[in-house]
């Protein structure tokens, strides 16, 4: 496999040690193509006096490409036409994503809906209805396929278009009880993973997933969240990316509302329905 813009060359460059999103951009800008950058890496390593720029093993790259294809998925790259345009704007957007489903959804206006895993029944019902209403207004719903609010948002938006960003590899089902929902999203919506196939999600992967959720969307809505939760991390990342941060207010008596109320106190926009959200992001 060769060629300046082939999947193999790009993936081998990205999987090489110490080549993250920023380095990938720099190497492509400097050398013009992944193939040219791969040729230059050994010399860069020698001049640097270390193996920092050692190349990824060709057979491992070929195995990954085969595994992704066998799952019915494919790789997309930061400098490709089908890469999510808003995600490309953030400094640390992944150099490579694995996708399965309707890739056109990634370039449509979208809003992230996130919230508590141990959400209340009312919170899940609200998130489901909110996602359905946003879909009806032509807004794609992005979330993380977690238990609680995330799952409810995906369910509400499934008929109109929803994007699930998962923390493990594209072939990993997590949590296990979402196997049917994950399969439906891969068929009717879009499933996205940053990790290579075969990777099971670990705690360290979730903040990386959260930056993709926030980076893809025009804004992030938090429905229920306890203080110091992952949902608040997603909201913070959205704010840092210059996107809208929105929250659904709740009772001070419910710990799951404290994170949302805290966001509103700190400057997030209080929203109560899809109309409020659409008005902010359009």
């Amino acid at each position: 496999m060769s060629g300046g813009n082939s999947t193999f060359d790009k993936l081998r460059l990205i999987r090489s040690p110490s080549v993250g999103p920023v380095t990938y951009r720099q190497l492509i800008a400097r050398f013009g193509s992944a193939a040219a950058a791969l040729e230059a890496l050994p010399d860069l390593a020698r001049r640097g006096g270390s193996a920092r720029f050692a190349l990824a093993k060709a057979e491992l790259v070929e195995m990954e490409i085969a595994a992704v294809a066998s799952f019915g998925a494919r790789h997309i790259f930061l400098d490709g036409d089908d890469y999510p345009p808003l995600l490309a704007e953030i400094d640390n957007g992944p150099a490579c994503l694995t996708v399965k489903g309707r890739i056109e959804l990634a370039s449509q206006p979208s809003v992230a809906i996130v919230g508590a895993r141990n959400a209340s029944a009312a919170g899940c019902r609200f998130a489901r209805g909110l996602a359905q209403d946003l879909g009806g207004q032509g807004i794609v719903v992005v979330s993380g396929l977690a238990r609680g609010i995330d799952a409810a948002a995906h369910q509400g938006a499934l008929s109109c278009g929803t994007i699930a960003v998962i923390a493990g590899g594209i072939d990993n089902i997590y949590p296990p009880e979402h196997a049917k929902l994950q399969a439906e999203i891969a068929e009717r919506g879009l499933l996205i993973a940053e990790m290579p196939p075969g990777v099971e999600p670990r705690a360290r992967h979730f903040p990386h997933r959260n930056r993709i959720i926030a980076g893809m969307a025009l804004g992030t809505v938090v429905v229920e969240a306890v203080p110091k939760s992952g949902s608040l991390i997603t909201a913070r990342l959205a704010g840092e990316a210059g996107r809208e941060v929105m929250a659904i207010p709740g009772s001070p008596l419910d710990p799951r509302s404290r994170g949302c109320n805290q966001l509103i106190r700190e400057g997030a926009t209080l929203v109560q329905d899809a109309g409020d959200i659409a008005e902010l992001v359009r």
Side-chain angles (χ1 to χ4, degrees):
M1 297 186 184
S2 62
N5 290 310
S6 77
T7 294
F8 176 83
D9 289 332
K10 290 182 177 182
L11 191 60
R12 189 177 190 191
L13 182 60
I14 289 160
R15 296 291 183 245
S16 295
S18 299
V19 179
V22 175
T23 306
Y24 178 79
R25 287 179 197 249
Q26 291 170 342
L27 289 169
I28 295 295
R30 180 174 173 185
F31 297 104
S33 71
L38 285 169
E39 284 184 23
L41 278 182
D43 185 53
L44 288 174
R46 277 193 300 273
R47 283 188 283 159
S50 72
R52 181 167 168 261
F53 285 120
L55 298 181
K57 290 184 178 178
E59 57 269 28
L60 294 180
V61 176
E62 288 171 347
M63 284 171 61
E64 178 176 339
I65 292 170
V68 167
S70 70
F71 191 69
R74 65 188 179 93
H75 293 93
I76 61 171
F77 298 93
L78 184 57
D79 48 346
D81 294 337
D82 47 8
Y83 190 89
L86 285 178
L87 188 60
E89 293 178 6
I90 68 171
D91 292 338
N92 63 343
C96 173
L97 294 169
T98 312
V99 298
K100 184 176 183 181
R102 298 169 55 199
I103 189 60
E104 69 274 12
L105 293 175
S107 58
Q108 294 176 15
S110 63
V111 164
I113 298 179
V114 296
R117 285 176 168 81
N118 65 333
S120 66
C124 288
R125 193 164 57 246
F126 181 86
R128 201 174 293 115
L130 184 66
Q132 187 171 11
D133 292 346
L134 285 170
Q137 297 195 39
I139 296 173
V140 174
V141 171
V142 185
S143 197
L145 203 63
R147 298 179 179 96
I149 296 299
D150 287 24
H154 288 307
Q155 288 160 353
L158 196 56
S159 61
C160 303
T162 186
I163 299 172
V165 185
I166 59 175
I170 196 82
D171 55 347
N172 187 269
I173 296 169
Y174 184 84
E177 64 265 31
H178 287 173
K180 183 172 180 289
L181 178 59
Q182 186 165 324
E184 286 180 330
I185 293 169
E187 185 179 336
R188 301 169 65 187
L190 180 64
L191 190 65
I192 293 180
E194 180 180 9
M195 294 296 115
V199 173
E200 294 188 5
R202 297 285 182 261
R204 66 180 183 277
H205 296 146
F206 288 94
H208 293 284
R209 179 207 60 177
N210 293 347
R211 90 188 191 289
I212 298 172
I213 294 170
M216 288 191 68
L218 293 162
T220 292
V221 185
V222 184
V223 176
E224 286 183 340
V226 297
K228 297 184 179 178
S229 64
S231 301
L232 299 194
I233 292 172
T234 307
R236 175 178 58 78
L237 292 168
E240 289 174 358
R243 312 289 164 77
E244 292 287 343
V245 179
M246 299 159 275
I248 307 297
S251 167
L253 299 176
D254 188 342
R256 290 170 294 203
S257 294
R258 287 180 187 163
C260 294
N261 294 344
Q262 175 187 320
L263 281 174
I264 293 166
R265 192 178 65 190
E266 291 172 354
T269 303
L270 186 157
V271 291
Q272 299 181 89
D273 55 35
D276 290 347
I277 294 165
E279 189 180 319
L280 280 170
V281 300
R282 283 195 165 135

